[in-house]
């Protein structure tokens, strides 16, 4: 081939590359896309938080920690109502406490807003990175695949650490790729790892760095790309923050903290309890993830095949697709090795999965003109919002935990309307936590025997219970005249009541 032919071929390749880049990035302005995804995330949060309340998860623990922080100033290592030390780092409790300060009392918004903001943040990161690396359509699809999956919706109104942790891992993973690409700038990666570790624990480091396995993959190609750069400043930040907090917490709590946080939580969940052993859940994890990430998980098969058999020609795009694939595969493997397995724990696997699915969805819809494509996206988002509105505002009404939460809210409202804040209120065993939450309390439950004693000695005391009959049985022949202040029927469960002692037999329940 002559020199002229070589120059012509090079020019043709350059023109094709420029055309492909234009196709990938010639779309709506970045600010409009970010605004749309952010607005969609906020709307999803409003739909879920204004729906039927459901306190059947970690609300009672996080609420207790937040109340301990606000009322007792126990920021270093919060405790629950029974004096049990927090089992994970306290970042979520800190953020929920800060969100509570403007209101003066804990409420659903301040309890859930940290996770909601983290979830929206992950969607925006997916849009930004996907748009830059795979094209604007792939970035938009990735954000939608993440926001419109069942686990993301569930975590909008769940007081758990997983989304906050996943945000730190996602931020760290993208920072790691940029540092690998540039050969410098690792401090941001360590800042993200610090955030994620303070949210849930040190598993953040291997998860955020797992995509760097692509460096070995690249070393097998004609254009290897080694991992370079200094980590010193980032490591110092990580150790100063995480080690500094743990040192203060240990100084405050002593060996109890080690047993609770490392022995019981970290090692207990990793190694398993009883007959459950490490490494037994690989297939179960895969099955659980793919079934719960439907329909988006169906796109992961052709996406993976394309990366393995037909990698991108552009070296930058190829490095990123391999990085995301390794991030996804390594994360699945890491979570499969743990004995404690719940689908909610797999939240850090969702971002790389959404990127892979989003890229494949962009390929399937590439023939749609931008106007029609955006119209299709708007229609899909609107349909999903309508379905989620029906789910949160109507269909959840049949849930046992929702019925208990609504009943608890009614009892709490009745108590607040009848007595002042100084009236002693006690809670019998099996009382729905919602009563305490809506009263902004975090108290130990009292036994029925203790409750009878309290009602006999304090006429002002109020007891919330599901079992008045047991109180009367324990009272025995002496009887226990009770005045009912409020009640709420919980279908298939019984009746939740707030009662007070009553000296006049004619007005009593006994």
């Amino acid at each position: 081939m002559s020199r002229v032919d070589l120059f012509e071929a090079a020019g043709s390749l350059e023109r094709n590359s420029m055309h492909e880049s234009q196709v990938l990035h010639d779309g709506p302005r970045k600010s409009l896309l970010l605004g749309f995804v952010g607005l969609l995330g906020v709307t999803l949060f409003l739909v879920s938080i204004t729906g039927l309340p459901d306190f059947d998860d970690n609300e009672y623990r996080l609420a207790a920690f937040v109340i301990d922080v606000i009322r007792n100033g126990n920021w270093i290592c919060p405790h629950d109502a029974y004096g049990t030390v927090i089992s994970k780092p306290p970042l979520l409790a800190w953020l929920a406490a800060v969100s509570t300060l403007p209101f003066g009392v804990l409420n659903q918004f301040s309890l859930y807003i940290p996770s909601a903001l983290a979830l929206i943040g992950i969607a925006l990161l997916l849009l930004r990175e996907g748009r830059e690396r795979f094209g604007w359509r792939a970035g938009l699809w990735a954000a939608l695949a993440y926001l419109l999956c069942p686990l993301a919706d569930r975590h909008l109104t769940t007081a758990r650490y997983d989304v906050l942790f996943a945000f730190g891992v996602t931020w760290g993973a993208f920072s790691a790729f940029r540092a690998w690409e540039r050969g410098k700038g690792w401090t941001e990666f360590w800042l993200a790892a610090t955030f994620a570790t303070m949210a849930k624990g040190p598993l953040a480091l291997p998860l955020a760095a797992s995509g760097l396995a692509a460096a070995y993959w690249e070393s097998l190609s004609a254009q290897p790309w080694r991992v370079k750069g200094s980590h010193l400043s980032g490591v110092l930040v990580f150790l100063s923050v995480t080690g500094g907090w743990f040192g203060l917490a240990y100084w405050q709590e002593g060996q109890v903290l080690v047993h609770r946080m490392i022995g019981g939580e970290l090692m207990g969940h990793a190694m398993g309890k009883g007959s459950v052993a490490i490494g037994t859940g690989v297939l179960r994890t895969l099955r659980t993830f793919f079934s719960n990430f439907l329909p988006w998980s169906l796109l992961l098969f052709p996406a993976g095949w394309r990366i393995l058999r037909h990698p991108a020609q552009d070296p930058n795009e190829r490095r990123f697709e391999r990085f995301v694939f390794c991030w996804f595969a390594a994360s699945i493997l890491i979570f499969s090795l743990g004995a404690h397995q719940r689908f909610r724990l797999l939240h850090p696997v969702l971002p790389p999965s959404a990127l892979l699915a989003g890229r494949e969805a962009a390929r399937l819809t590439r023939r749609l003109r931008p106007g029609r494509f955006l119209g299709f996206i708007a229609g899909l988002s609107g349909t999903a919002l309508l379905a989620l509105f029906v789910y949160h505002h109507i269909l959840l009404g049949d849930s046992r935990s929702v019925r208990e939460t609504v009943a608890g809210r009614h009892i709490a409202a009745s108590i607040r309307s009848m007595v002042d804040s100084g009236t002693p209120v006690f809670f019998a065993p099996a009382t729905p936590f919602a009563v305490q939450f809506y009263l902004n309390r975090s108290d130990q439950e009292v036994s029925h025997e203790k409750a009878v004693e309290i009602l006999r000695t304090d006429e002002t005391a109020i007891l919330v219970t599901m079992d008045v009959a047991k109180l009367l049985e324990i009272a025995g022949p002496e009887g226990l005249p009770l005045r009912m202040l409020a009640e709420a029927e919980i279908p298939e469960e019984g009746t939740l009541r707030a009662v007070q002692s009553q000296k006049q037999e004619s007005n009593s329940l006994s």
Side-chain angles (χ1 to χ4, degrees):
M1 182 180 291
S2 68
R3 181 175 298 180
V4 174
D5 293 334
L6 287 174
F7 277 120
E8 288 181 352
S12 177
L13 287 173
E14 183 177 0
R15 286 192 298 273
N16 290 336
S17 177
M18 291 176 62
H19 175 70
E20 183 178 356
S21 177
Q22 184 178 12
V23 170
L24 287 175
H25 301 290
D26 186 16
R29 291 199 305 272
K30 180 180 179 180
S31 58
L32 291 178
L33 293 174
L34 291 172
F36 172 76
V37 170
L39 180 61
L40 177 60
V42 171
T43 306
L44 287 168
F45 178 58
L46 292 176
V47 166
S48 61
I49 200 172
T50 57
L52 296 166
D54 184 1
F55 292 171
D56 190 36
D57 200 77
N58 205 48
E59 284 80 6
Y60 72 98
R61 289 195 185 95
L62 182 59
F65 298 142
V66 173
I67 290 174
D68 188 37
V69 168
I70 294 175
R71 291 185 179 173
N72 304 320
N74 197 2
W75 288 85
I76 296 176
C77 210
H79 298 73
D80 65 14
Y82 293 87
T84 305
V85 68
I86 193 170
S87 62
K88 293 181 177 66
L91 180 59
L92 180 57
W94 291 347
L95 294 176
V98 171
S99 303
T100 300
L101 292 177
F103 301 98
V105 294
L106 182 64
N107 54 48
Q108 284 178 266
F109 178 86
S110 57
L111 192 69
Y112 295 139
I113 190 62
S115 293
L117 290 177
L119 190 138
I120 295 171
I122 292 173
L124 294 175
L125 286 175
L126 290 172
L127 172 62
R128 187 191 70 178
E129 298 296 328
R131 175 184 176 274
E132 181 179 344
R133 310 290 179 175
F134 293 150
W136 69 273
R137 296 192 188 210
L140 185 55
W141 269 122
L144 290 181
Y146 174 72
L147 286 176
L148 302 181
C149 74
L151 187 60
D153 171 68
R154 177 60 179 160
H155 272 103
L156 280 170
T157 50
T158 300
R160 300 205 66 91
Y161 312 88
D162 303 287
V163 182
L164 212 62
F165 180 67
F167 173 78
V169 170
T170 305
W171 174 22
F174 290 143
S175 300
F177 179 79
R178 287 193 296 273
W180 174 37
E181 195 175 41
R182 299 168 185 168
K184 60 181 180 178
W186 288 97
T187 301
E188 184 181 350
F189 165 79
W190 286 100
L191 286 173
T194 301
F195 180 95
T197 300
M198 291 301 296
K200 195 175 180 183
L203 188 61
L205 274 172
L207 287 172
S210 59
L212 293 174
Y216 174 75
W217 198 347
E218 282 290 289
S219 71
L220 303 178
S221 66
Q223 297 175 306
W225 203 267
R226 295 187 299 108
V227 178
K228 297 181 292 184
S230 172
H231 294 259
L232 180 60
S233 60
V235 171
L236 289 176
V237 170
F238 177 82
L239 294 178
S240 297
V241 175
T242 59
W245 167 77
F246 191 83
L248 287 173
Y250 183 80
W251 173 75
Q252 176 179 302
E253 302 295 334
Q255 197 64 24
V256 173
L257 178 72
V258 177
H259 289 312
R260 171 73 170 159
M261 193 167 291
I262 298 179
E265 184 71 18
L266 186 61
M267 299 305 297
H269 285 173
M271 303 302 295
K273 300 176 182 179
S275 59
V276 182
I278 189 170
T280 59
V282 176
L283 293 179
R284 183 174 61 181
T285 298
L286 287 170
R287 183 175 64 250
T288 300
F289 175 79
F290 278 96
S291 62
N292 283 276
F293 193 50
L294 289 171
W296 311 106
S297 57
L298 296 176
L299 298 175
L300 297 180
F301 295 100
W305 174 259
R306 197 181 306 277
I307 291 171
L308 293 171
R309 302 297 298 176
H310 306 286
Q313 295 300 309
D314 179 74
N316 295 321
E317 184 179 354
R318 185 187 68 238
R319 278 193 293 271
F320 187 67
E321 70 180 8
R322 288 177 172 178
F323 178 90
V324 174
F325 182 85
C326 290
W327 176 15
F328 164 75
S331 298
I332 285 286
L333 178 61
I334 290 171
F335 283 111
S336 297
L337 295 177
H340 181 64
Q341 297 193 7
R342 298 288 187 276
F343 180 55
R344 58 174 173 76
L345 301 177
L346 298 177
H347 207 106
V349 185
L350 290 180
S353 306
L355 269 175
L356 295 175
R359 188 191 191 194
E360 202 61 28
R363 292 181 185 276
L364 296 176
T365 56
R366 65 185 180 276
R367 296 187 181 278
L368 290 177
R369 294 179 179 178
R372 287 190 175 184
F373 174 75
L374 293 175
F376 175 75
I377 292 296
L380 176 64
S381 302
T383 302
L385 285 172
L386 179 61
L388 289 172
F389 182 89
V390 172
Y391 172 73
H392 284 284
H393 289 256
I394 300 174
L395 299 181
L396 272 179
D398 293 330
S399 167
R400 174 196 57 80
S401 57
V402 168
R403 294 196 297 261
E404 289 184 355
T405 306
V406 171
R409 182 175 61 183
H410 170 74
I411 294 295
S414 300
I415 292 174
R416 285 199 310 269
S417 67
M418 288 185 291
V419 299
D420 57 49
S421 58
T423 302
V425 182
F426 299 89
F427 307 94
T431 299
F433 165 73
V435 184
Q436 292 203 44
F437 179 86
Y438 288 109
L439 289 174
N440 216 49
R441 303 279 293 266
S442 177
D443 301 332
Q444 295 187 30
E445 293 178 341
V446 299
S447 66
H448 288 91
E449 290 78 9
K450 182 65 175 177
V452 170
E453 180 183 338
I454 292 172
L455 291 172
R456 280 177 172 166
T457 57
D458 188 349
E459 293 184 25
T460 65
I462 296 174
L463 177 72
V464 183
T465 180
M466 288 286 296
D467 198 347
V468 169
K470 188 168 185 63
L471 291 175
L472 299 177
E473 178 185 345
I474 293 173
E478 298 180 33
L480 182 66
L482 296 175
R483 180 164 62 97
M484 185 178 67
L485 302 179
E487 67 176 1
E489 188 72 25
I490 304 177
E492 301 179 6
E493 296 288 329
T495 303
L496 180 64
R497 292 185 174 94
V499 298
Q500 201 173 36
S501 63
Q502 172 66 20
K503 293 301 182 182
Q504 298 181 8
E505 296 279 342
S506 59
N507 295 328
S508 70
L509 294 177
S510 59

